[in-house]
């Protein structure tokens, strides 16, 4: 070919360039205080990240709390890590897929929730650039997912009323938060009133090996599983407890990675795994945990952290993967918030949550006016 011969067109540059990042702290009032063994929440406060590139925006919310009551990450620490470390490493750069973020994210120890919000926002941005719904980019199928409700700690009569409402609304599973002094009696009362519902309990790490007789007492109530009875960082002792129980243990806080899931399943520490995409560091790890559990023949379900419509939409898309065979926590947003920050209401009907479809990506859009009214802090990171 001579120098003046026609040249083939240069290939287009793959992927999408992240031009800037908008970082906010949002506080959404809860309709009813949500009480669990570690405390009471009256508002859902969270970092919201918007990645911008080539005329598209990818959005995600982080799930750490203001204080380290669920896991060790906190909002102040995450905001500093995002602002000073992670976002400057990606803004101004081009990535062909979300997996190209891993060499930037993986060297940093811990901080899985902060890493997750970056990765999840880019998954949304990338799926939008391809014109795909997020579920298709993740490998999911279907137009709806099965969901249940999670009920905070309350007196027995209040709990029975809440369970009755959930049953009337057709939810596929009812989960009761339990704690020391609020366990066997509340479960007994609910099971007596509702003998046929799919019922689970979540201890949020409030028990120890010395409480084995109390946990064994829960075997009498035909629970689908007991979620995270022991310490947030324990697998070994959960295996001891699982051997002593008829009821399945479901692990939540203890599972941060596919390696954790493998170790838990190899040692018999659990028969069910809860996957929260924020807890495990993003969709890449969530998919790896999903696949590991499938290889062991162990079901998974998608946990929730009282997310707004943004995090709720991410969860719904994730739950379309094949091994999410148990109902998740992504119930109607109107159960928690008088008004959400998304224009599209995410509401379940008869225990089925539709996959949001307003455009590619996560399928919901921000209500910018209301978002501004519930934003406590906002900043922009540019190249």
């Amino acid at each position: 070919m001579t120098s003046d011969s026609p040249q083939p067109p240069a290939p287009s540059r793959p992927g999408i360039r992240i031009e800037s990042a908008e970082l906010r702290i949002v506080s959404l009032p809860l309709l009813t205080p949500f009480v669990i063994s570690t405390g009471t929440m009256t508002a859902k406060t969270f970092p919201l990240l918007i990645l911008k590139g080539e005329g598209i925006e990818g959005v995600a919310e982080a799930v750490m709390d203001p204080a380290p009551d669920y896991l060790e990450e906190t909002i102040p620490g995450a905001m500093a890590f995002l602002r000073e470390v992670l976002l400057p490493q990606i803004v101004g750069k081009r990535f062909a897929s979300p997996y190209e973020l891993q060499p930037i994210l993986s060297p940093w120890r811990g901080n899985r929730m902060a890493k997750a919000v970056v990765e999840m926002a880019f998954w949304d941005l990338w799926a939008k650039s391809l014109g795909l719904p997020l579920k298709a980019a993740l490998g999911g199928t279907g137009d709806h997912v099965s969901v249940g409700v999670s009920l905070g700690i309350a007196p027995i009569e209040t709990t029975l009323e809440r369970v009755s409402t959930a049953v009337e609304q057709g939810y596929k599973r009812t989960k009761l938060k339990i704690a020391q002094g609020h366990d066997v009696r509340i479960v007994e009362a609910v099971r007596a009133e509702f003998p046929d519902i799919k019922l689970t309990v979540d201890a949020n790490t409030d028990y120890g090996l010395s409480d084995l007789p109390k946990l064994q007492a829960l075997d009498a109530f035909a629970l689908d599983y007991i979620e995270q009875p022991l310490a947030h960082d324990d697998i070994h002792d959960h295996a001891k407890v699982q051997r002593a129980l008829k009821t399945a243990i479901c692990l939540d806080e203890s599972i941060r990675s596919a390696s954790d899931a493998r170790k838990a399943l190899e040692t018999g520490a659990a028969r069910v795994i809860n996957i929260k995409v924020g807890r495990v560091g993003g969709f890449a790890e969530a998919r790896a945990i999903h696949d590991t559990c499938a290889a062991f023949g162990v079901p998974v379900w998608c946990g929730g952290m009282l997310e707004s419509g943004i995090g709720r939409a991410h969860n719904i898309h994730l739950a379309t993967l094949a091994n999410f065979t148990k109902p998740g926590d992504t119930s109607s947003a109107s159960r928690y918030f008088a008004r959400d920050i998304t224009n599209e209401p995410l509401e379940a009907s008869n225990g089925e949550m539709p996959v949001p479809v307003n455009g590619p990506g996560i399928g919901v859009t921000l209500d910018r006016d209301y978002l501004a009214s519930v934003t406590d802090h906002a900043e922009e990171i540019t190249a």
Side-chain angles (χ1 to χ4, degrees), residues 210-252:
S210 62
D211 299 306
L212 181 57
K214 190 172 294 184
L215 296 172
Q216 287 175 316
L218 295 173
D219 274 338
F221 303 113
L223 300 175
D224 196 37
Y225 51 79
I226 300 170
E227 188 175 352
Q228 196 70 38
L230 309 185
H232 73 280
D233 55 356
D234 172 75
I235 290 176
H236 180 79
D237 284 349
H238 275 105
K240 294 182 180 179
V241 172
Q242 181 64 96
R243 287 193 292 272
L245 294 180
K246 297 176 184 177
T247 308
I249 285 178
C250 170
L251 289 181
D252 175 356

Side-chain angles (χ1 to χ4, degrees), residues 186-204:
I186 193 78
V187 176
E188 183 178 33
V190 171
R191 183 52 90 198
E193 190 79 13
F194 303 95
D196 299 323
I197 64 171
K198 180 171 285 189
L199 185 64
T200 72
V201 297
D202 184 2
N204 287 112

Side-chain angles (χ1 to χ4, degrees), residues 2 39 60 81 93 104 109 121 151 157 178 190 196 214 289 295 315 320 345 367 370 377 381:
T2 62
F81 187 47
K93 296 179 182 177
I104 292 173
R109 305 288 178 88
L151 303 179
E157 287 304 316
I178 62 171
V190 171
D196 299 323
K214 190 172 294 184
I289 294 171
N315 289 345
T320 63
D367 180 342
Y370 185 58
H377 170 82
I381 292 93

Side-chain angles (χ1 to χ4, degrees), residues 45-85:
T45 301
F46 58 94
L48 184 76
L49 176 63
I50 305 171
L51 296 180
K52 304 175 184 181
E54 302 175 14
I56 309 172
E57 293 184 349
V59 191
E61 70 179 85
V63 296
M64 69 287 293
D65 292 325
D69 52 0
Y70 172 68
L71 291 175
E72 62 275 7
E73 288 182 72
T74 66
I75 290 175
M79 289 292 287
F81 187 47
L82 289 165
R83 177 191 307 117
E84 298 168 16
V85 179

Side-chain angles (χ1 to χ4, degrees), residues 27-255:
S27 188
L28 276 178
L30 290 171
L31 289 170
T32 304
F34 194 75
V35 183
I36 65 174
S37 64
T38 55
T40 300
M41 186 184 300
T42 57
K44 175 61 180 178
T45 301
F46 58 94
L48 184 76
L49 176 63
I50 305 171
L51 296 180
K52 304 175 184 181
E54 302 175 14
I56 309 172
E57 293 184 349
V59 191
E61 70 179 85
V63 296
M64 69 287 293
D65 292 325
D69 52 0
Y70 172 68
L71 291 175
E72 62 275 7
E73 288 182 72
T74 66
I75 290 175
M79 289 292 287
F81 187 47
L82 289 165
R83 177 191 307 117
E84 298 168 16
V85 179
L86 293 185
L87 294 176
Q89 288 188 286
I90 68 168
V91 171
K93 296 179 182 177
R94 181 176 294 273
F95 300 92
S97 85
Y99 292 96
E100 289 193 352
L101 291 173
Q102 294 308 308
I104 292 173
L105 301 177
S106 59
W108 302 105
R109 305 288 178 88
N111 292 282
R112 292 181 182 274
M113 295 175 179
K115 294 176 186 178
V117 75
V118 173
E119 194 241 35
M120 292 165 70
F122 189 77
W123 271 97
D124 183 36
L125 184 71
W126 184 63
K128 286 172 178 172
S129 75
L130 299 175
L132 293 174
L134 179 59
K135 69 173 185 180
L138 291 171
T141 59
D143 57 9
H144 63 273
V145 299
S146 296
V147 293
V149 294
S150 178
L151 303 179
I153 292 172
I156 289 176
E157 287 304 316
T158 301
T159 298
L160 290 174
E161 291 172 4
R162 291 175 177 175
V163 173
S164 179
T165 299
V167 171
E168 290 170 4
Q169 293 172 341
Y171 282 104
K172 300 294 181 67
R173 178 267 280 147
T174 300
K175 179 169 79 174
L176 306 176
K177 295 288 188 176
I178 62 171
Q180 296 280 4
H182 185 88
D183 39 46
V184 176
R185 285 187 63 227
I186 193 78
V187 176
E188 183 178 33
V190 171
R191 183 52 90 198
E193 190 79 13
F194 303 95
D196 299 323
I197 64 171
K198 180 171 285 189
L199 185 64
T200 72
V201 297
D202 184 2
N204 287 112
T205 77
D206 206 39
Y207 297 80
L209 284 178
S210 62
D211 299 306
L212 181 57
K214 190 172 294 184
L215 296 172
Q216 287 175 316
L218 295 173
D219 274 338
F221 303 113
L223 300 175
D224 196 37
Y225 51 79
I226 300 170
E227 188 175 352
Q228 196 70 38
L230 309 185
H232 73 280
D233 55 356
D234 172 75
I235 290 176
H236 180 79
D237 284 349
H238 275 105
K240 294 182 180 179
V241 172
Q242 181 64 96
R243 287 193 292 272
L245 294 180
K246 297 176 184 177
T247 308
I249 285 178
C250 170
L251 289 181
D252 175 356
E253 289 95 327
S254 295
I255 306 301

Side-chain angles (χ1 to χ4, degrees), residues 306-330:
L306 301 185
E307 290 96 337
S308 79
I310 296 300
R312 207 166 287 265
H314 278 277
N315 289 345
I316 295 166
H317 284 273
L318 175 65
T320 63
L321 271 66
N323 197 38
F324 282 91
T325 56
K326 289 187 176 292
D329 273 346
T330 312

